[in-house]
Amino acid sequence: MTVVNQNMNVGVNIKRTADNQRNIIPITDFDAPQLDVYARLTEVQLLNRHEPEKGIFIAESPRVIERALDYGCIPVSILIETRQIETLGKDIIARCGDIPVYTAEFDVLTQLTGFQLTRGMLCAMYRPTKKTATEVCMGARRITVLENVVNPTNVGAIFRSAAALGIDGVLLTSACSNPLYRRAIRVSMGTVFQIPWAFLPEKHWLNMLHELGFSTAAMALREDSLCIDAPQLLQEDKLAIIFGTEGDGLTAETIKACDYTVRIPMARGVDSLNVAAASAVAFWQLTRV
């Protein structure tokens, strides 16, 4: 994996601002290796499973970058539209210390990255230390579990709803899209840095939840499902709300092992909601304790 080297300046012009001596580096060469993290490395390469301590993620937009900084994430470099340096990006650049700030006009950045930057700013950051599932569950009363949710847009949307509607933590099976994929972070509006989350062990994770005192509610459309407003659900002191993959939903094994099977009533012949939409409904109803 290629990692940004803060001492390299191949293919760029360096100038120092008079007031703070921070590197402001105009982009002159799209092939400069410092730009790999923004333009050429895949999400898998950024994740860097073999050396996780060197893993990097990309935060997009000033608000998301601020939330990542508030969480304690360490910035590596910034890619920013030139006109934003003294406006939206000014305070963030000041918070990031003496790291490279690569800059160009908006059209150049769009050509480099292959998409239009949200509010003209990206920040490469080291991935934070992973939490364990047990750590996420400590002190929690309402958590959600995602089983094999593979679409990063759905993962990001679920995080945003979880943070907004009072969920204490998110747990994911290993087949889920990583919450620190760029699209997931962007869709979540940075709430992946505001709510605790962790990946579950490969096996027996339902047993682990039960051992930690959680009752488990499988969100599934079955004849014997409880309606989501069933009073016994709100009476549970600790509840894990479990959602399955897009399309197929939860596995039969998971549904069988849960304490409850829960459904959201549908009208007009609609068979189900998208998993992200369903999560928002469930979180609103089941956190009213």
Side-chain angles (χ1 to χ4, degrees), residues 17-88:
T17 58
D19 57 342
N20 57 19
Q21 297 297 299
R22 183 173 290 106
N23 282 340
I24 303 296
I25 307 172
I27 296 170
T28 61
D29 181 2
F30 279 13
D31 294 325
Q34 308 96 307
L35 304 178
D36 285 350
V37 292
Y38 300 107
R40 287 173 283 277
L41 296 187
T42 66
E43 293 284 11
V44 173
Q45 289 173 311
L46 290 173
L47 181 61
N48 197 6
R49 293 182 185 276
H50 298 297
E51 296 181 278
E53 70 281 359
K54 296 181 181 178
I56 287 174
F57 69 89
I58 305 297
E60 182 182 352
S61 85
R63 175 174 292 183
V64 172
I65 295 167
E66 285 174 346
R67 286 178 172 169
L69 291 171
D70 290 344
Y71 182 76
C73 296
I74 299 173
V76 176
S77 66
I78 289 171
L79 182 66
I80 187 170
E81 184 184 0
T82 301
R83 69 184 182 90
Q84 303 288 15
I85 291 175
E86 294 298 329
T87 56
L88 292 174

